[in-house]
């Protein structure tokens, strides 16, 4: 979704890898509690960033402390997020200044990174230099970057959560698929998306990776079929995926298992980006206690 930067009054202000992936209501007039988590959002003007600004601002024990982006500089974070009241937090493109301000208060802080794969490593490293842990939700992040981040966090004793999804429903779907995969010989993934994108989706790839190398070979009857109508095989264990792109469809992922005389179907539908916010709030609360890199939100469920 394109970012809309409306005019506003200026305010003054004081693929993921397979198994070898890294295992890796207080009054506004009162000062925030020392237990309040100060949150900095990178990629603040993206749809997910704007939604996260509102979610963090409303979450108990959290406070938006910075909104970082290269667009909409100077506009109020609350206003670009559609909130009823301004937050008096302007969008900035200077992460160092925001981190330095938090470090001076000695408050607990977390950087939430929605940026791009090429900037994630530097963002996490910069956050760590100021004593802040990070939550990274950048679906196209490379495995090599995750590995490098894991080594850095281990050496620096700093926490970081890198997750391919913030949707709790998606995580539960994947966990259920792993359990089912031990009992069925046939499985196919069917996904629908309203807009063209990289397909198969990251969700489908993650599901296939999770049920791969568990000692099962799926769809043996036509595993060698090269008919394109049979969908794409992900991995070497015969997991097939079919991707539909139709305007108006909700984003949906279904996993169909079959055995003698039965079909077992798991399905997860997403209607909007709000589905990621419970997982984001959970991730922020958990990451402050980490001293290393954790891969996957499922580690906290």
């Amino acid at each position: 979704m394109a970012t809309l930067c409306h005019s506003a009054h200026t305010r003054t202000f004081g693929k993921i890898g397979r198994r070898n992936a890294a295992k890796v209501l207080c009054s506004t007039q009162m000062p925030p509690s020392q237990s309040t988590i100060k949150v900095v959002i990178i990629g603040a003007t993206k749809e997910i960033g704007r939604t996260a600004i509102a979610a963090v601002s409303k979450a108990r024990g959290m406070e938006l402390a910075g909104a970082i982006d290269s667009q909409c500089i100077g506009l109020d974070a609350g206003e670009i997020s559609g909130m009823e009241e301004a937050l008096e937090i302007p969008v900035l493109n200077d992460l160092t200044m925001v981190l330095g301000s938090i470090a001076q208060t000695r408050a607990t802080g977390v950087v939430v990174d929605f940026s791009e794969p090429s900037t994630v490593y530097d963002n996490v490293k910069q956050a760590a230099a100021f004593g802040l842990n990070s939550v990274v939700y950048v679906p196209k992040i490379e495995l090599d970057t995750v590995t490098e981040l894991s080594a850095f966090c281990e050496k620096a004793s700093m926490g970081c959560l890198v997750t391919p999804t913030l949707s709790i429903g998606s995580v539960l779907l994947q966990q259920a698929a792993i359990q089912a995969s031990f009992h069925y010989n046939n499985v196919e993934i069917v996904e629908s998306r309203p807009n063209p994108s990289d397909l198969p989706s990251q969700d489908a790839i993650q599901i296939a990776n999770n049920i791969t190398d568990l000692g099962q070979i799926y769809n043996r009857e036509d595993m060698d079929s090269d008919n394109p109508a049979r969908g794409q095989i992900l991995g070497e264990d015969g997991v097939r995926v079919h991707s539909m792109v139709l305007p108006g469809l909700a984003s949906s992922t279904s996993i169909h298992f079959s055995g003698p005389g039965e079909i077992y179907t798991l399905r997860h539908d997403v209607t909007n980006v709000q589905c990621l916010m419970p997982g984001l709030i959970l991730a922020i609360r958990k990451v402050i206690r980490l001293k290393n890199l954790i891969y996957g939100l499922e580690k906290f469920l």
Side-chain angles (χ1 to χ4, degrees), residues 13-252:
F13 62 97
K15 268 163 215 174
I16 204 56
R18 293 158 68 95
R19 291 194 310 165
N20 61 343
K23 307 284 190 238
V24 263
L25 290 164
C26 61
S27 168
T28 57
Q29 297 178 354
M30 296 290 291
S33 166
Q34 289 300 311
S35 62
T36 298
I37 304 171
K38 291 183 176 288
V39 180
V40 179
I41 296 177
I42 304 176
T45 67
K46 295 182 177 182
E47 181 184 14
I48 186 172
R50 300 196 306 272
T51 307
I53 286 171
V56 167
S57 299
K58 296 173 183 177
R60 178 177 55 83
M62 292 185 193
E63 173 191 354
L64 183 71
I68 306 299
D69 211 300
S70 59
Q71 302 183 56
C72 304
I73 304 300
L75 298 188
D76 186 86
E79 292 180 350
I80 68 169
S81 302
M83 300 181 66
E84 294 182 358
E85 296 183 2
L87 295 174
E88 309 233 353
I89 300 289
V91 178
L92 301 175
N93 62 356
D94 190 338
L95 178 60
T96 301
M97 184 175 73
V98 174
L99 295 177
S101 176
I102 296 173
Q104 287 181 352
T105 67
R106 298 186 179 181
T108 300
V110 172
V111 171
V112 176
D113 195 343
F114 298 133
S115 62
E116 303 297 332
S118 61
T119 61
V120 167
Y121 184 86
D122 288 341
N123 291 340
V124 172
K125 191 173 181 179
Q126 194 170 357
F130 287 90
L132 277 71
N133 289 355
S134 298
V135 173
V136 176
Y137 175 64
V138 180
K140 295 181 182 180
I141 189 171
E142 297 289 340
L143 173 60
D144 289 345
T145 303
V146 177
T147 302
E148 291 172 3
L149 280 174
S150 180
F152 167 77
C153 291
E154 189 75 29
K155 184 175 181 179
S157 295
M158 295 300 297
C160 180
L161 169 66
V162 178
T163 181
T165 182
L166 285 169
S167 166
I168 292 176
S170 179
V171 172
L172 295 176
L173 178 78
Q174 294 175 27
Q175 291 179 336
I178 292 172
Q179 293 297 316
S181 67
F182 291 104
H183 305 285
Y184 294 97
N185 297 322
N186 295 278
V187 58
E188 304 209 8
I189 301 169
V190 180
E191 60 179 357
S192 64
R193 298 292 182 267
N195 302 302
S197 59
D198 292 334
L199 296 172
S201 70
Q202 198 64 41
D203 282 347
I205 293 171
Q206 186 69 25
I207 292 167
N209 287 342
N210 286 343
I211 63 177
T212 290
D213 294 338
L214 296 179
Q216 178 70 280
I217 300 296
Y218 307 98
N219 310 316
R220 291 177 182 270
E221 295 81 2
D222 66 343
M223 187 173 175
D224 296 329
S225 172
D226 57 1
N227 187 331
R230 289 294 298 118
Q232 179 180 345
I233 293 181
L234 299 181
E236 300 177 356
D237 296 344
V239 180
R240 293 185 179 273
V241 60
H242 308 261
S243 301
M244 297 188 297
V245 178
L246 293 171
L249 279 179
S251 292
S252 177

